[in-house]
Amino acid sequence: MPKKILIIDNTFDPPHGCPEIRKLLEGAADGLGELEITSVRAPEGKIPGSLKEYDGVVLSGSRTRIEETEPWIEAELDAIRKLHALKIPTFGICYGEQMIARALGGKTGQAKQYEYGWVEVELKNNSSPLLEGLPKKFHTFEYHQDEVRELPKNFKLTASSPDCPIQAYDVESAPMWGVQFHPERGPKKADESLNKVAKGGRTVINGDKGDSLFNPKVGETIFRNFLKRVWARR
C-alpha cells in the first residue's frame, strides 16, 4: 500500500500544488516505497474534514501574514490541532511552521528583522530527526517578514540564525516539525522572488550568491528524514 501524503497548499500565486515540495517528496521516497500525493488549496477551503486516511502532511509557505484571521485560516488551525491529536507526521515550512506554533499555543508575529535571501542557519540540537545528517551550519533560502517569537513548552528549538532565533523546532508531544526557511527552493525560483524584493527597496541577503550557497542536499535530507518518520509510523 502506498503512503498517502497530503500537501496543504497555502500559496496564492501560481503554480499551485507546490511542485517544488512534490518533487522533493517523490525523490525522497526512492527506496522507501510508493507515495500517493494529494495537494489541496487551503485558501479555497479544500482541507479535508477527515485527516485519518493520511500518513503524513506538509504545510506550505504563503504570503499570508501570520496574524491574519479568515475562515480558511481558522480551518487550517483546527486541522493542525487534529493532526497533533492523531499523531500524524506533519512538516510545516515558513508560514506552515508559524501556523503549527500558532495552533498549539506559541507566540507569532512580525519579525524583528526580515530575512530575504540566502541565510546561514545553525543547528542547536543534532538530535532532531528532521535535521539529522545536516552540517552544523548551512545556507538556505529565506523569504519571510513574520516569525515564531516564542515556542510552547512542548516544543524544542533545533535551529537558529542571527536575525531569527527560531528557525526550526520539533514538537515533542507529536511527530511534528517546522522550519522557517525554504528547503524546497532552488536558485532559479529564489532569484525571481529576490528580484521583486530588491525592486521594492528592501535588503537582500547574499542575493548574488545563490548558485554557490545553494546545497540541494539540505532539502533532500530534510524531506528524506520526514518520510522516514512517515514510514516508521504504525
Side-chain angles (χ1 to χ4, degrees):
M1 292 287 290
K3 294 293 186 182
K4 295 183 177 181
I5 302 295
L6 178 67
I7 299 175
I8 296 181
D9 178 4
N10 296 305
T11 65
F12 283 84
D13 303 320
H16 295 313
C18 302
E20 294 167 304
I21 291 174
R22 179 182 288 268
K23 183 178 179 180
L24 275 172
L25 283 168
E26 291 171 345
D30 185 33
L32 290 175
E34 185 180 353
L35 285 185
E36 180 181 310
I37 302 174
T38 301
S39 180
V40 296
R41 299 274 300 117
E44 297 173 6
K46 301 297 185 180
I47 298 177
S50 176
L51 298 165
K52 293 181 180 180
E53 67 181 272
Y54 296 102
D55 299 296
V57 178
V58 180
L59 312 176
S60 84
S62 180
R63 58 181 169 86
T64 307
R65 301 299 298 270
I66 189 56
E67 295 304 295
E68 290 184 35
T69 300
E70 298 287 346
W72 73 267
I73 295 172
E74 293 301 321
E76 184 165 340
L77 291 169
D78 183 60
I80 291 168
R81 296 182 190 107
K82 290 178 181 177
L83 291 167
H84 180 266
L86 292 166
K87 302 294 189 286
I88 294 175
T90 302
F91 174 32
I93 299 170
C94 195
Y95 179 73
E97 178 245 14
Q98 297 164 17
M99 283 288 278
I100 293 173
R102 178 180 172 182
L104 301 179
K107 293 183 180 179
T108 57
Q110 182 172 308
K112 293 181 179 179
Q113 178 63 52
Y114 300 170
E115 288 183 315
Y116 296 113
W118 297 93
V119 174
E120 185 177 64
V121 170
E122 180 177 0
L123 301 186
K124 294 299 182 183
N125 191 323
N126 287 321
S127 66
S128 171
L130 187 76
L131 306 179
E132 184 179 3
L134 293 179
K136 178 72 173 178
K137 294 182 180 181
F138 57 89
H139 282 83
T140 187
F141 184 67
E142 303 271 3
Y143 197 86
H144 69 101
Q145 50 186 321
D146 292 331
E147 65 184 3
V148 178
R149 292 181 172 179
E150 185 176 321
L151 293 174
K153 291 182 179 179
N154 63 332
F155 282 44
K156 179 176 67 174
L157 176 68
T158 58
S160 298
S161 68
D163 289 324
C164 181
I166 301 174
Q167 279 284 354
Y169 59 71
D170 290 1
V171 181
E172 297 184 299
S173 53
M176 306 179 84
W177 307 271
V179 298
Q180 179 58 66
F181 53 91
H182 286 273
E184 80 282 10
R185 184 58 48 89
K188 184 176 179 180
K189 286 292 184 181
D191 285 347
E192 292 176 9
S193 299
L194 295 180
N195 287 338
K196 295 178 183 178
V197 172
K199 288 178 181 178
R202 288 187 173 171
T203 301
V204 171
I205 304 167
N206 293 319
D208 59 345
K209 297 180 180 179
D211 287 331
S212 61
L213 293 177
F214 171 63
N215 180 358
K217 291 296 183 183
V218 171
E220 292 169 7
T221 299
I222 288 173
F223 277 84
R224 178 76 171 183
N225 287 339
F226 171 66
L227 289 184
K228 285 181 179 178
R229 305 284 82 74
V230 170
W231 254 270
R233 181 174 180 260
R234 294 290 183 262

